[in-house]
């Protein structure tokens, strides 16, 4: 699976962004996809994941209510809608497959990352 993430950018606090990640190649995603982020000087952390079959979702507790993950199976694409962005959301955001568990070790495939910068 090759993953191509897009949608990052620079925004002011309180604004929204939507990230997209499209999968191509083989094998097909079977279990799920997730988003992780890594801020400068910090470890990579789980953001959200979605089950590829039933669409059930998981979120990092600190992000519930502001971030929404979704998927479009027909387009092999997973989205991350980020609302009410804060400066502490500034990070490189990675999409990953093929799991829906909330830890990086369970994911075999990773995109290249898309940078989100939130200014105050």
């Amino acid at each position: 699976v090759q993953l191509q993430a897009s949608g990052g950018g620079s925004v002011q606090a309180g604004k929204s962004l939507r990230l997209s990640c499209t999968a191509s190649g083989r094998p097909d995603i079977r279990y799920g996809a997730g988003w992780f982020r890594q801020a400068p000087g910090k470890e990579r952390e789980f953001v959200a994941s979605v089950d590829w079959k039933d669409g059930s979702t998981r979120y990092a507790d600190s992000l519930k209510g502001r971030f929404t993950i979704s998927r479009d199976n027909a387009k092999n694409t997973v989205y991350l809608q980020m609302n009410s962005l804060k400066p502490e959301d500034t990070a490189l955001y990675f999409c990953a497959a093929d799991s829906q568990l909330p830890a990086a070790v369970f994911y075999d495939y990773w995109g290249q990352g898309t940078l989100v910068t939130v200014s105050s």
Side-chain angles (χ1 to χ4, degrees), residues 37 47 59 63 65-68 80-82 85 89 93:
R37 68 185 184 182
V47 173
Y59 294 94
L63 300 176
R66 292 196 301 122
F67 287 17
T68 302
L80 184 69
Q81 177 68 41
M82 306 184 293
L85 283 162
D89 294 319
Y93 283 72

Side-chain angles (χ1 to χ4, degrees), residues 3 9 14 24 26 31 33 39 41 56 63 65 67 72 76 84 86 88-90 98 113-116 118 120:
L3 301 172
S24 61
R26 288 293 182 267
Y31 302 109
S56 58
L63 300 176
F67 287 17
D72 184 332
N76 271 345
S84 302
K86 304 175 181 180
E88 50 264 42
D89 294 319
T90 295
D98 183 5
T114 184
L115 183 63
V116 172
V118 185
S120 58

Side-chain angles (χ1 to χ4, degrees), residues 23-36:
S24 61
R26 288 293 182 267
D28 293 332
I29 295 178
R30 295 178 61 189
Y31 302 109
W35 287 96
F36 291 77

Side-chain angles (χ1 to χ4, degrees), residues 37-91:
R37 68 185 184 182
Q38 187 165 15
K42 296 187 177 181
E43 294 186 353
R44 190 169 300 189
E45 65 174 351
F46 171 76
V47 173
S49 64
V50 60
D51 186 289
W52 211 246
K53 294 180 180 178
D54 65 16
S56 58
T57 57
R58 297 173 185 248
Y59 294 94
D61 288 342
S62 62
L63 300 176
K64 287 179 180 178
R66 292 196 301 122
F67 287 17
T68 302
I69 190 172
S70 61
R71 94 271 190 250
D72 184 332
N73 295 56
K75 296 182 179 180
N76 271 345
T77 299
V78 59
Y79 304 97
L80 184 69
Q81 177 68 41
M82 306 184 293
N83 298 329
S84 302
L85 283 162
K86 304 175 181 180
E88 50 264 42
D89 294 319
T90 295

